[in-house]
């Protein structure tokens, strides 16, 4: 489902919203994006998202599966973020690939090679075993073994590698992130129109999101109810 980019991008920059943005930037050390970067809110090839497509906040993570800070965020902060903000319809969370090594590229291809409904299971398995496969002598074989354990056969994985469709998509995601959004490290989060870097403690993230939601609610007529069913991916 496409994001409601017009309403997110069209929010008036009232003094209240600017003040909230300042609070969020101070809490999270974020960087405001240039105007052209607004196109990042449109759904892109390879996106995998959770949460309501019309959520008032879109949070995009550029991550590398071999990044220890990414793994730490997903094992600690992400379950709380999902329970309090994503599952309640307040935040739409989108994953985008930004591999930092060849092994991470192989792992990213594996996540997309899995059936779409198994993407998050595969991602979780790779993040939990990052020390195992990322430091293996033969990383491709190690990633393949995790894939087999998650239901992706060696034959299917090899076909994905040979087709190079996901390899090209991942590189395109990286190119867009670098050239348009200024992404250099992982994890990098884009929260509506702010770029934030590093593993964000959940308490600071929660405070910033809550303040943003409060201001959006005051000035937007579309954020009136959170009782609309959440769209499952």
């Amino acid at each position: 489902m496409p994001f409601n980019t017009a309403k997110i991008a069209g929010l008036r920059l009232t003094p209240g919203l600017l003040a909230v943005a300042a609070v969020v930037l101070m809490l999270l050390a974020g960087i405001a994006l240039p105007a052209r970067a607004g196109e990042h809110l449109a759904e892109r090839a390879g996106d995998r998202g959770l949460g309501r497509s019309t959520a008032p906040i879109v949070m995009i993570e550029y991550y590398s599966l071999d990044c220890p800070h990414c793994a730490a965020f997903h094992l600690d902060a992400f379950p709380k973020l999902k329970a309090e903000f994503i599952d309640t319809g307040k935040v739409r969370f989108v994953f985008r690939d930004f591999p930092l090594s060849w092994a991470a590229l192989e792992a990213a291809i594996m996540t997309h090679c899995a059936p779409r409904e198994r993407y998050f299971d595969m991602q979780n398995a790779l993040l939990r075993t990052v020390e195992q496969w990322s430091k293996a002598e033969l990383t491709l074989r190690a990633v393949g073994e995790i894939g087999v354990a998650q239901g992706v056969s060696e034959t299917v994985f090899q076909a994905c590698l040979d087709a190079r469709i996901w390899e090209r998509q991942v590189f395109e995601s990286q190119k867009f992130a670098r050239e348009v959004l200024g992404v250099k490290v992982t994890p990098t989060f884009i929260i509506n129109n702010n770029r934030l870097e590093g593993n964000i403690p959940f308490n600071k993230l929660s405070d910033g999101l809550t303040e943003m939601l409060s201001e959006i609610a005051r000035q937007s007529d579309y954020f009136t109810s959170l009782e609309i069913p959440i769209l499952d991916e």
Side-chain angles (χ1 to χ4, degrees):
M1 294 290 292
F3 310 134
N4 197 335
T5 58
K7 287 185 176 178
I8 292 172
L11 290 174
R12 291 178 294 107
L13 294 180
T14 63
L17 187 56
L18 289 172
V20 169
V23 170
V24 174
L25 294 179
M26 180 176 66
L27 285 172
L28 306 179
I31 300 170
L33 296 174
R36 188 206 160 194
E39 64 190 80
H40 72 278
L41 292 173
E43 189 170 13
R44 302 182 63 80
D47 281 2
R48 293 293 181 267
L50 289 171
R52 198 172 62 170
S53 63
T54 55
I57 292 177
V58 176
M59 184 171 180
I60 301 168
E61 180 189 11
Y62 282 94
Y63 78 116
S64 180
L65 283 158
D66 66 345
C67 162
H69 298 296
C70 301
F73 174 80
H74 282 275
L75 295 177
D76 180 28
F78 186 75
K80 303 169 191 173
L81 175 68
K82 186 175 183 296
E84 295 186 26
F85 291 93
I86 299 171
D87 291 346
T88 54
K90 300 170 186 176
V91 170
R92 168 79 171 173
F93 196 97
V94 179
F95 296 93
R96 288 182 183 165
D97 299 299
F98 197 90
L100 298 178
S101 68
W102 193 258
L105 172 63
E106 295 166 346
I109 292 171
M110 176 61 84
T111 63
H112 293 289
C113 193
R116 192 177 181 94
E117 66 274 12
R118 296 283 296 166
Y119 173 86
F120 295 106
D121 291 330
M122 183 68 76
Q123 178 196 64
N124 187 59
L126 288 162
L127 287 169
R128 288 184 177 278
T129 58
V130 60
E131 292 294 319
Q132 172 187 330
W133 58 264
S134 67
K135 296 181 179 179
E137 183 175 354
L138 299 174
T139 57
L140 184 61
R141 177 183 295 176
V143 169
E145 289 173 352
I146 293 168
V148 169
Q150 293 296 315
V152 176
S153 69
E154 292 180 7
T155 301
V156 170
F157 184 37
Q158 189 61 53
C160 287
L161 293 169
D162 292 343
R164 304 191 70 180
I165 294 172
W166 286 113
E167 179 183 330
R168 288 191 292 270
Q169 183 277 310
V170 169
F171 283 141
E172 178 59 31
S173 173
Q174 233 176 7
K175 182 175 184 240
F176 175 82
R178 281 198 184 104
E179 295 182 359
V180 178
L181 304 179
V183 175
K184 298 177 182 177
V185 301
T186 61
T188 291
F189 301 94
I190 313 294
I191 302 182
N192 284 0
N193 289 310
N194 292 317
R195 188 179 78 236
L196 319 167
E197 297 177 349
N199 181 8
I200 309 170
F202 178 72
N203 62 331
K204 290 188 176 181
L205 180 59
S206 177
D207 289 345
L209 292 174
T210 299
E211 289 295 329
M212 289 180 71
L213 287 165
S214 296
E215 182 60 27
I216 290 170
R218 284 192 287 271
Q219 67 167 283
S220 175
D221 60 0
Y222 85 95
F223 185 43
T224 57
S225 173
L226 292 178
E227 298 179 358
I228 300 174
I230 298 170
L231 300 176
D232 294 327
E233 291 294 318

